Amino acid sequence: MHNESANNNPAVTRSQFDEVMVPNYAPAGFIPVRGHGSRVWDQAGREYVDFAGGIAVSAVGHTHPHVVGALKAQADKLWHVANVLTNEPAIRLAKHLVEKTFAERIFFCNSGAEANEAALKLARKFASDHFPHGREEKCEAGCYCSTTTTDKYEIIAFDNSFHGRTLFTVSVGGQPKYTQGFGPLPQGIRHLPFNDIAAAEAAISDKTCAVIVEPIQGEGGVTPAKREFLRRLRELCDQHNALLIFDEVQSGAGRTGALYAYMKCGVTPDILTTAKGLGGGFPIGAMLTTEKVAKSFGVGAHGSTYGGNPLACAVADAVLDIVGDPAILAGVTVRHQLMFDGLAELNQKYGVFKEVRGDGLLIGCELAAEFAGHGKELVKASEVEGLLLLIAGPSVMRLAPSLLITPEDIHLGLERLGMAIEKFIAAVRATAKASPPVAQAA
Ligand SMILES: *Cc1c(COP(=O)(O)O)cnc(C)c1O
């Protein structure tokens, strides 16, 4: 009966999107309806190779049987109880994360922005609890009283960073275009140039409560942090009693070939945030921290109705079974090389990229000067050839496929990318000829 009525539903079309949705997105002209592994099919039955991975989310591809199994099994048991009760999948997942990382305590939420919101609030609260006068000392009454206003509230973040879209996280993010028109903004946030050790040394002080950094800037253009930079941030944070927060929402869950990127760079943060790949497509976020720092989130200090939802945690636990496996992580490095070799070959032929960079299966290809600003057109050209790509800013093509993508799908995707690049180059040159840039016309 239910199936019949579903089949009788009137057709959904892409043009209806513009009639019923808030216009903050501009999705592609087709609607995907099915996925398996690293392939996706649209309403018309057209097949695409998925190099986008739902923006670094589909870490184990589409409809992975182990993850689908976990979801279905939990779906028949318990969906939701809220945090007035706890549940088995949440405790199991927290134990799994504690076992595999530096963390001793976990807070669950539903997205990357919420994980960062929790991290930033926790850092402010920790400073307020321990350094009510900006230094490690008790107030005149001899206690760490919470009523004293701390002057240790400054959050240091970096230009071009991205930490989410809540008002706090978007203000901490280093892309001013995302906060324009939303003021007044939260205060006590400073932005420094990324990878600039001298600037960090000059700015981090006893007023700093936290430094937040992406080990690889994702949205900002797939720019890896230098190891020496992260090491120096760790030292400066220790020196000034500030917490170091790694935003691993994009770089985490196996994306770089390590379960978390911090494991590769030899710098351990005080707080780590993870989301995107952790749920493999089911909404979940988590904040990982130490027992000492976690204490500042006492009962009632923070919360989320859906945080630690049994369905989400059961799915994430199954994803972690896969992306936490050393053999799978080693496979990411093999796939990275296949991608890099294939992209180098394409670039030799077409000279379309200025630089190919990134780590594991988070790869950025910066367009050569002639094609700068045309990233969206390359994404469109690829869709026509049956390939899903991303951009990270107007001039960087970004790849973030499933960590399990097969060599066959990598080759097929690169073949389609080659065809797309050929047409893309021709189109950009034709437009440039028809309306030459002002500087050249003069
Ligand atoms: C995507 C992203 C976020 C925001 O995650 P949402 O789930 O969209 O809220 C935060 N930080 C980084 C590094 C991201 O890539």
Side-chain angles (χ1 to χ4, degrees):
M1 265 344 231
H2 288 294
N3 279 343
E4 245 169 65
S5 67
N7 289 339
N8 290 338
N9 277 344
V12 171
T13 64
R14 169 62 182 83
S15 63
Q16 290 167 354
F17 177 94
D18 302 319
E19 292 160 19
V20 295
M21 298 286 199
V22 168
N24 61 318
Y25 303 117
F30 59 90
I31 302 181
V33 291
R34 194 162 60 85
H36 188 67
S38 289
R39 307 271 179 111
V40 169
W41 289 266
D42 71 10
Q43 288 178 315
R46 285 203 68 214
E47 173 233 68
Y48 302 81
V49 173
D50 188 1
F51 275 7
I55 318 188
V57 165
S58 307
V60 296
H62 301 277
T63 60
H64 191 288
H66 181 60
V67 179
V68 172
L71 178 65
K72 285 186 171 167
Q74 188 59 40
D76 283 331
K77 286 184 197 160
L78 184 69
W79 282 32
H80 182 78
V81 290
N83 288 300
V84 289
L85 305 171
T86 187
N87 67 78
E88 290 181 353
I91 295 171
R92 220 174 273 133
L93 176 60
K95 279 179 70 177
H96 204 163
L97 286 167
V98 164
E99 218 170 83
K100 296 231 172 218
T101 69
F102 77 97
E104 296 160 337
R105 295 291 185 270
I106 313 291
F107 170 78
F108 289 122
C109 50
N110 317 288
S111 67
E114 284 171 90
N116 286 327
E117 185 83 19
L120 296 164
K121 280 183 70 181
L122 177 58
R124 284 266 176 91
K125 185 69 163 48
F126 182 82
S128 159
D129 287 352
H130 293 269
F131 312 100
H133 308 293
R135 294 173 302 279
E136 189 158 26
E137 62 181 38
K138 295 174 181 179
C139 77
E140 284 117 53
C143 65
Y144 294 129
C145 52
S146 56
T147 49
T148 314
T149 327
T150 181
D151 60 352
K152 189 177 178 62
Y153 55 73
E154 198 170 68
I155 289 158
I156 302 270
F158 298 97
D159 295 340
N160 285 319
S161 62
F162 183 82
H163 300 298
R165 301 290 200 136
T166 64
L167 197 56
F168 196 0
T169 57
V170 86
S171 303
V172 169
Q175 300 188 57
K177 64 176 177 186
Y178 290 143
T179 50
Q180 271 160 25
F182 294 112
L185 303 175
Q187 296 295 296
I189 301 159
R190 258 182 93 175
H191 294 98
L192 306 179
F194 187 56
N195 273 332
D196 185 335
I197 289 178
E201 284 170 345
I204 296 169
S205 74
D206 285 347
K207 282 184 180 278
T208 309
C209 77
V211 175
I212 182 166
V213 64
E214 294 162 85
I216 303 178
Q217 286 192 338
E219 305 299 308
V222 191
T223 314
K226 294 202 173 86
R227 215 169 263 212
E228 313 82 75
F229 178 65
L230 296 176
R231 252 186 232 139
R232 192 70 186 119
L233 290 182
R234 178 70 274 177
E235 286 169 6
L236 290 164
C237 283
D238 290 342
Q239 200 176 317
H240 295 286
N241 292 310
L243 299 180
L244 182 60
I245 304 171
F246 275 11
D247 179 348
E248 293 229 34
V249 169
Q250 191 154 164
S251 63
R255 181 79 17 214
T256 65
L259 182 56
Y260 286 96
Y262 85 85
M263 296 168 175
K264 263 182 144 173
C265 65
V267 175
T268 304
D270 302 294
I271 302 177
L272 181 150
T273 54
T274 174
K276 289 203 166 92
L278 179 63
F282 202 100
I284 186 167
M287 179 189 71
L288 284 56
T289 190
T290 60
E291 183 190 358
K292 181 183 172 195
V293 174
K295 279 201 175 112
S296 285
F297 265 179
V299 173
H302 192 61
S304 160
T305 297
Y306 270 124
N309 170 275
L311 288 171
C313 291
V315 169
D317 201 39
V319 171
L320 204 52
D321 285 339
I322 301 169
V323 302
D325 178 346
I328 298 293
L329 293 169
V332 172
T333 307
V334 173
R335 286 160 174 79
H336 167 89
Q337 202 54 49
L338 283 177
M339 280 284 195
F340 256 57
D341 291 348
L343 290 165
E345 205 174 299
L346 284 176
N347 206 28
Q348 209 160 25
K349 192 165 168 194
Y350 297 110
V352 70
F353 304 129
K354 182 172 138 193
E355 187 187 29
V356 179
R357 57 182 180 244
D359 199 2
L361 286 172
L362 182 54
I363 299 171
C365 306
E366 188 169 346
L367 294 172
E370 187 188 352
F371 309 103
H374 291 278
K376 270 188 192 157
E377 290 155 62
L378 181 53
V379 171
K380 286 233 153 64
S382 298
E383 283 163 8
V384 172
E385 302 302 325
L387 174 66
L388 304 181
L389 290 182
L390 296 167
I391 50 172
S395 303
V396 178
M397 179 189 92
R398 176 172 35 156
L399 310 179
S402 160
L403 309 183
L404 308 179
I405 187 170
T406 62
E408 293 73 28
D409 284 349
I410 290 177
H411 290 307
L412 181 61
L414 289 170
E415 201 179 296
R416 291 178 182 181
L417 180 59
M419 294 189 284
I421 288 173
E422 205 163 306
K423 290 179 186 166
F424 165 74
I425 290 175
V428 171
R429 287 189 178 147
T431 335
K433 221 171 164 185
S435 56
V438 180
Q440 274 177 33

